[in-house]
Amino acid sequence: MSASPHYRRNEALRTIRPGYVGNKLIGKEFCNGETLFEPRFSTVLRWQLTANPQKEEKKRDTWAPNVVPCAEAFFSNEDMLVWLGHACFLLRVQGVSLLFDPVLFSSFGLRHRHALPCRPEDVRNIDYLLLSHGHRDHLDEQSIKLLTKQNPQMRALSSLGMAPLLRGMAPTLPVQEAGWWQQYDLGPTAPFEIYYLPASHWHRRGLLDLNQVLWGSFLIKTADRLIYFAGDTSYSDHFETIEQIFGPLDIVLIRLALTSRPS
């Protein structure tokens, strides 16, 4: 008999979407919206070897950006947004630094296409570490360990189920988990609001943890801007719902991923 569905959210946080009871789980697995998405290894392998329509197009794309050194950005007093490669961004807002999905080192299967604009040792003065989900090209253990050592004041904002995973990498790193449509508690003096929002994706790092850590996206609401970071996602109706709730977005950081559509 299959496990019955249930719902989960962080009851200590505000849920901003009226009537939303939390993320649906079947057994220990988070659903991709209302449906369970369980990609098989054979499907992923077939997509990589034969069925990826973008594979040849990617081979032909040899463009690479000019890399401008940016070590001073981590201590700048100016508001700025800096791309550090792949899905990693530095966002500075009113003297507060946010770092998204850092992968600061190349490894097997995760090779940087171009050099970082700074050394990993330069990534300091980070207040908030925003982790959209647990895939290794967004959550790199070596990077987490170094960042925690270099930024003892840093706090992680992430998803339901992420804290146990991060404790194995950095036991002293404070982690605040949220479900979809929840607002993080940053305290009364924070110069912005941060929300965890949907994405159409899935989770796996090992053999036995399929969909046991939630995936999602972030929205940062400042006094005059809405900044959206999509993490990994395929196209789905959550984009329209986010705009209906928050209004038009000012800055969007996005890359699309192959997955199923949430309901």
Side-chain angles (χ1 to χ4, degrees):
M1 181 181 295
S2 60
S4 59
H6 55 286
Y7 295 85
R8 183 179 163 195
R9 62 183 176 183
N10 185 341
E11 297 297 339
L13 298 182
R14 175 185 171 220
T15 300
I16 63 164
R17 186 176 180 183
Y20 188 72
V21 296
N23 284 91
K24 182 178 179 180
L25 295 93
I26 297 178
K28 294 182 179 180
E29 292 188 44
F30 286 100
C31 292
N32 195 33
E34 288 299 313
T35 15
L36 198 59
F37 178 60
E38 297 179 313
R40 298 179 179 177
F41 178 75
S42 59
T43 303
V44 176
L45 185 63
R46 186 172 66 252
W47 176 74
Q48 286 286 349
L49 297 179
T50 62
N52 182 352
Q54 285 81 41
K55 189 171 184 178
E56 291 304 317
E57 182 179 350
K58 287 182 177 180
K59 288 181 179 178
R60 293 192 298 269
D61 181 9
T62 59
W63 177 85
N66 291 326
V67 178
V68 179
C70 74
E72 69 281 357
F74 297 98
F75 292 91
S76 173
N77 291 323
E78 298 181 17
D79 289 0
M80 65 177 67
L81 180 65
V82 180
W83 181 40
L84 301 180
H86 194 54
C88 182
F89 291 85
L90 166 71
L91 175 65
R92 291 274 298 168
V93 178
Q94 295 187 34
V96 179
S97 292
L98 298 86
L99 189 69
F100 297 82
D101 286 4
V103 178
L104 305 178
F105 303 93
S106 290
S107 60
F108 178 76
L110 294 175
R111 182 177 59 85
H112 285 151
R113 187 169 181 176
H114 53 79
L116 289 177
C118 62
R119 302 174 306 159
E121 293 78 13
D122 295 326
V123 186
R124 299 176 182 269
N125 198 33
I126 304 299
D127 298 291
Y128 294 103
L129 176 65
L130 278 63
L131 301 170
S132 65
H133 66 294
H135 280 155
R136 295 177 189 274
D137 62 332
H138 290 250
L139 175 60
D140 173 59
E141 182 170 356
Q142 186 179 0
S143 300
I144 297 298
K145 288 179 176 179
L146 178 67
L147 289 168
T148 303
K149 181 180 179 180
Q150 294 181 168
N151 299 275
Q153 77 288 350
M154 183 176 71
R155 292 185 282 166
L157 306 178
S158 192
S159 59
L160 298 174
M162 183 64 79
L165 180 58
L166 288 177
R167 276 199 296 270
M169 303 177 186
T172 62
L173 176 63
V175 183
Q176 190 174 151
E177 297 183 342
W180 290 357
W181 305 112
Q182 292 203 286
Q183 180 181 356
Y184 292 98
D185 182 3
L186 307 181
T189 62
F192 43 68
E193 299 170 355
I194 303 180
Y195 302 86
Y196 195 64
L197 301 177
S200 178
H201 205 45
W202 57 290
H203 168 84
R204 168 166 265 166
R205 285 181 74 90
L207 295 176
L208 303 175
D209 66 344
L210 180 62
N211 294 334
Q212 292 185 19
V213 178
L214 184 61
W215 49 93
S217 56
F218 293 98
L219 186 136
I220 295 87
K221 182 179 181 181
T222 72
D224 57 355
R225 286 187 179 89
L226 293 175
I227 303 167
Y228 178 66
F229 175 80
D232 259 356
T233 185
S234 65
Y235 182 77
S236 192
D237 56 6
H238 63 282
F239 293 119
E240 183 178 352
T241 307
I242 289 169
E243 186 174 38
Q244 288 173 351
I245 291 176
F246 288 97
L249 305 176
D250 298 294
I251 299 173
V252 175
L253 312 173
I254 188 169
R255 62 188 301 271
L256 295 181
L258 180 67
T259 188
S260 65
R261 179 185 181 92
S263 304

